[in-house]
Amino acid sequence: MKKEDRILSLFKKSGNSFLSGEEVSRALGISRQALWKHIEKLREAGYVIEAVPHLGYKLIQAPDKMLSSEVKWNLNTEIIGSEIHFYDSLGSTNTVAYELAEHGAGEGAVVIAEEQTKGKGRLGRSWISPAKGGIYLSCVLRPDILPNGVSKITLVAAVSAVKAVRKFSGLDALIKWPNDILVSDRKVAGILTELRGESDKVDFIILGIGINVNTARKVLPAGGTSLKEESKSSTDFSRVELVKILLKEMESEYVKFKKHGFAAVRSELKSYSCALGRHVTINASDGIKSSGKAVDINENGALVIKTEDGLKKAFLSGDVTLVR
Ligand code: BT5
C-alpha cells in the first residue's frame, strides 16, 4: 500500500479525530519530515487536512474524486472490484476494460474514469460523460453462460444499478427494460454489455454502467436527467459513495445470479420495471416496430408484449418507448 493510502487509512480508523505526527510517523516507519511531504501530496490531491501544533493532523474533507484509496476503503467485495483501475480521462471505460480482459484481467476487474471522451451507448450511439458529472465504470465478467444468455447480465446489472440509486438517493428509480434506469420517466443511467466469445462459449463480458450523478440537465440529451436534478439538491452528491454502493450491489446480484440463476433476480427485476402494465412500442434490432401492453419479462429475460389482436410476442433485445 502506498504511504498516502496508509495515512488515509489511519485517519479513517481514528474516526476523523486528530492524529499526532509522532504516532503516524512511527506507524509508517518514516521521519516527521517525510510525513509532512506525504501530507502535502494528499493536499495536492484535494484532501483538506488541518495541522495543529501539539495536536497533529486531522482529515477535514476528502475530495469527490475517484481515488483508489477512497473507493477501496471498506469496500469488502470479493469479486467485483477485485482490481480497480482509475483514470482521469478515457475514450471509453468499456474499451479499456475489453483490452484488459484480452490480456487476462480476472473476473471483477473494474475500470473507472472521471470523464469519457468517446462514451459508448448501444448500437453505435454515444454516452455523454462530462468530467465530475457522473459515474463511468466497466467491469470484466467471466460467467459460465452461453452467448445468448448475455442479455440476462444486462438485466442483473439493471437490478444492481436501480437498487444502488434508490439506496443512495432515495429516488423512486425504475428499470426501463432492458438497460435504462429512469427517474420520473427520464434517463439517469444506462448499461452497455459487450461480449467476446464463440457460438458456444463466453470468453468474457464487459459490463459498462453510466450514471448521471451531478450532471446538469442542459448538457444531457433530451430525456436525460441526473440524481442531483431529480432531487432538486443544491449541493453535489458524492460519486465515490455511490460507486461503492453500486459495486456492492453488483456483487450481491451477480453472486445470486451465478449461484441460483436468472430466476433468483427475475422477480425483483419485474418489481422495479416501469414498462410492465404499460402500453409500449418496441423497436427490435431488425428495425421492426411492435406495440402492445408489456405483460412480462420471461425466464429468458425477454420482454413479452400483448398486441391489440391478443398475440403475445417476446423480445430479447430492442428499444422500448413508453406510450401510456
Ligand atoms: C446506453 O445506451 O444507455 C448505454 C450507456 C452505457 C454508458 C456506460 S458509461 C461506462 C461505460 N463505458 C462506455 O463507453 N459506455 C458505458 P443506449 O440505450 O443506446 O442509449 C444511448 C442514448 O441515450 C443516446 O443515443 C442518447 O439519446 C442518450 N444519452 C446519451 N448520453 C446520455 C446521458 N449521459 N444520460 C442520459 N441519456 C443519454
Side-chain angles (χ1 to χ4, degrees):
M1 214 199 293
K2 275 180 21 192
K3 294 269 190 307
E4 283 81 22
D5 287 342
R6 289 182 63 192
I7 296 170
L8 289 172
S9 145
L10 288 173
F11 272 132
K12 284 172 176 159
K13 275 188 197 137
S14 76
N16 286 0
S17 52
F18 276 98
L19 283 177
S20 83
E22 196 187 328
E23 218 179 306
V24 183
S25 352
R26 205 179 326 115
L28 268 68
I30 56 174
S31 70
R32 300 282 291 271
Q33 257 146 336
L35 172 62
W36 175 254
K37 281 192 189 141
H38 291 299
I39 295 280
E40 279 307 295
K41 270 200 187 159
L42 285 168
R43 285 177 169 152
E44 278 159 27
Y47 287 87
V48 181
I49 298 168
E50 194 180 358
V52 176
H54 309 300
L55 276 176
Y57 299 105
K58 183 176 174 177
L59 178 63
I60 306 290
Q61 202 187 329
D64 186 35
K65 201 166 181 244
M66 298 291 179
L67 296 166
S68 57
S69 49
E70 292 298 324
V71 175
K72 286 176 184 160
W73 171 255
N74 263 347
L75 185 61
N76 299 332
T77 51
E78 276 179 19
I79 305 174
I80 310 295
S82 54
E83 42 182 294
I84 310 187
H85 304 261
F86 296 87
Y87 296 86
D88 277 335
S89 181
L90 274 187
S92 156
T93 54
N94 260 40
T95 307
V96 171
Y98 198 102
E99 286 162 6
L100 286 172
E102 283 184 312
H103 289 95
E107 167 137 290
V110 165
V111 175
I112 300 180
E114 290 283 341
E115 76 165 345
Q116 295 185 119
T117 52
K118 285 193 183 122
K120 298 193 284 187
R122 294 177 305 155
L123 306 168
R125 294 184 285 234
S126 57
W127 185 254
I128 306 290
S129 316
K132 304 202 183 298
I135 289 173
Y136 318 112
L137 75 77
S138 302
C139 183
V140 177
L141 298 176
R142 297 182 181 274
D144 189 10
I145 58 169
L146 294 171
N148 63 9
V150 70
S151 55
K152 291 179 188 162
I153 296 286
T154 307
L155 299 171
V156 171
V159 173
S160 326
V162 84
K163 286 172 89 170
V165 164
R166 282 172 166 254
K167 228 179 226 180
F168 174 74
S169 68
L171 293 164
D172 290 330
L174 293 170
I175 299 167
K176 181 164 76 98
W177 182 96
N179 71 318
D180 289 352
I181 307 298
L182 308 187
V183 173
S184 306
D185 280 357
R186 282 187 284 260
K187 183 160 173 173
V188 289
I191 296 161
L192 170 69
T193 15
E194 295 178 291
L195 156 92
R196 194 183 81 174
E198 288 141 43
S199 57
D200 58 345
K201 176 174 151 277
V202 166
D203 281 343
F204 57 78
I205 288 171
I206 304 301
L207 168 63
I209 304 183
I211 307 180
N212 304 321
V213 184
N214 297 316
T215 321
R217 203 185 279 172
K218 60 176 189 280
V219 304
L220 293 171
T225 190
S226 70
L227 302 182
K228 184 177 177 190
E229 292 275 11
E230 290 306 309
S231 27
K232 316 243 173 321
S233 164
S234 56
T235 50
D236 278 1
F237 285 115
S238 160
R239 291 168 309 134
V240 168
E241 210 179 297
L242 175 55
V243 100
K244 290 172 81 147
I245 298 176
L246 176 65
L247 294 175
K248 286 181 188 177
E249 292 295 336
M250 283 166 69
E251 166 110 353
S252 71
E253 297 307 317
Y254 185 58
V255 167
K256 228 189 272 175
F257 170 74
K258 285 206 348 166
K259 276 197 186 147
H260 309 292
F262 181 62
V265 184
R266 185 175 156 221
S267 60
E268 245 184 330
L269 169 70
K270 286 171 69 171
S271 74
Y272 289 126
S273 166
C274 62
L276 291 182
R278 286 175 77 170
H279 196 85
V280 302
T281 296
I282 175 156
N283 199 351
S285 32
D286 54 11
I288 297 174
K289 279 191 181 177
S290 310
S291 294
K293 186 175 170 186
V295 290
D296 196 14
I297 296 169
N298 73 16
E299 59 286 351
N300 298 320
L303 182 71
V304 182
I305 66 165
K306 195 169 173 189
T307 60
E308 283 192 348
D309 41 18
L311 279 179
K312 280 192 180 170
K313 289 185 179 175
F315 296 86
L316 264 180
S317 63
D319 281 316
V320 167
T321 310
L322 303 168
V323 181
R324 55 177 189 267

